[in-house]
Amino acid sequence: MKKGIFMCLIAVLFFACKSASSTASTDTTLSTKLDKSTQVALKGNWVLTNVSYPGSDYIKVNSFDLADSKCFIGSTWSFISNNNKGNMALTSPSCTGFSSPIVWSINNQGLFVLKILNAGEKAKKVRDGYLLKVSGVSESSFQLIDNINVGGQVKDVVYQFQRAN
């Protein structure tokens, strides 16, 4: 019996589960009113420079259901604030490359709403998305904060962005 508990503990140490609050289908009411001033502040090109979370040496996080969180370091993101579109591209040489159009917004609850689209796909056809908290917005940097469930405890995953232009 103890061996089974030990194996379960090892599984918890190496994999993290996404919490329900990090997808667009949450139990709380999501405001559709936009925070246009914060959206305008994010307009432009950005590089994701760091991903941090407690236990990152032992836990793998599959960010946005695309790749290991470490693959997002160095990724490029473009945000167009007047139409809430953009693009993101994973460019790490040690990971599989990926590029996709995105649709995004920031609501008045401070939540960054993100949909990753397939080529030629309309945003209204995409039912799944991601909700992240926006934090520390300045002219040159900001953070997006996601939540993961590790062994029944919610932990923050912080994506650090730096302005590219």
Side-chain angles (χ1 to χ4, degrees):
M1 188 65 134
K2 287 184 181 180
K3 184 177 182 181
I5 293 171
F6 178 73
M7 294 306 285
C8 181
L9 181 60
I10 288 175
V12 169
L13 288 176
F14 289 107
F15 298 99
C17 305
K18 299 284 291 166
S19 70
S21 66
S22 60
T23 63
S25 58
T26 62
D27 293 335
T28 59
T29 303
L30 181 64
S31 174
T32 57
K33 294 186 182 198
L34 299 180
D35 180 349
K36 293 192 183 248
S37 63
T38 303
Q39 286 185 175
V40 169
L42 297 190
K43 178 182 176 182
N45 298 314
W46 298 83
V47 175
L48 197 156
T49 57
N50 191 39
V51 180
S52 60
Y53 51 92
S56 61
D57 293 338
Y58 307 103
I59 302 169
K60 286 187 172 262
V61 172
N62 185 16
S63 294
F64 308 110
D65 299 315
L66 290 174
D68 182 85
S69 62
K70 305 267 188 260
C71 293
F72 280 82
I73 297 173
S75 62
T76 57
W77 296 68
S78 174
F79 301 113
I80 303 167
S81 61
N82 65 340
N83 66 5
N84 297 99
K85 293 185 180 182
N87 191 45
M88 58 85 62
L90 301 182
T91 57
S92 173
S94 60
C95 300
T96 302
F98 178 82
S99 180
S100 178
I102 61 172
V103 174
W104 66 282
S105 62
I106 301 171
N107 71 11
N108 65 355
Q109 295 166 312
L111 295 175
F112 186 93
V113 182
L114 173 67
K115 287 185 179 184
I116 299 173
L117 310 176
N118 293 318
E121 191 173 32
K122 301 269 187 208
K124 65 182 177 183
K125 298 281 187 184
V126 176
R127 308 283 306 163
D128 297 324
Y130 304 91
L131 295 177
L132 300 102
K133 190 171 115 188
V134 179
S135 178
V137 177
S138 74
E139 283 188 31
S140 61
S141 68
F142 73 96
Q143 296 87 34
L144 292 178
I145 303 169
D146 198 0
N147 299 120
I148 59 172
N149 184 322
V150 181
Q153 294 183 340
V154 176
K155 304 290 182 187
D156 288 343
V157 177
V158 179
Y159 298 93
Q160 178 68 48
F161 288 82
Q162 296 292 325
R163 188 171 294 280
N165 56 352

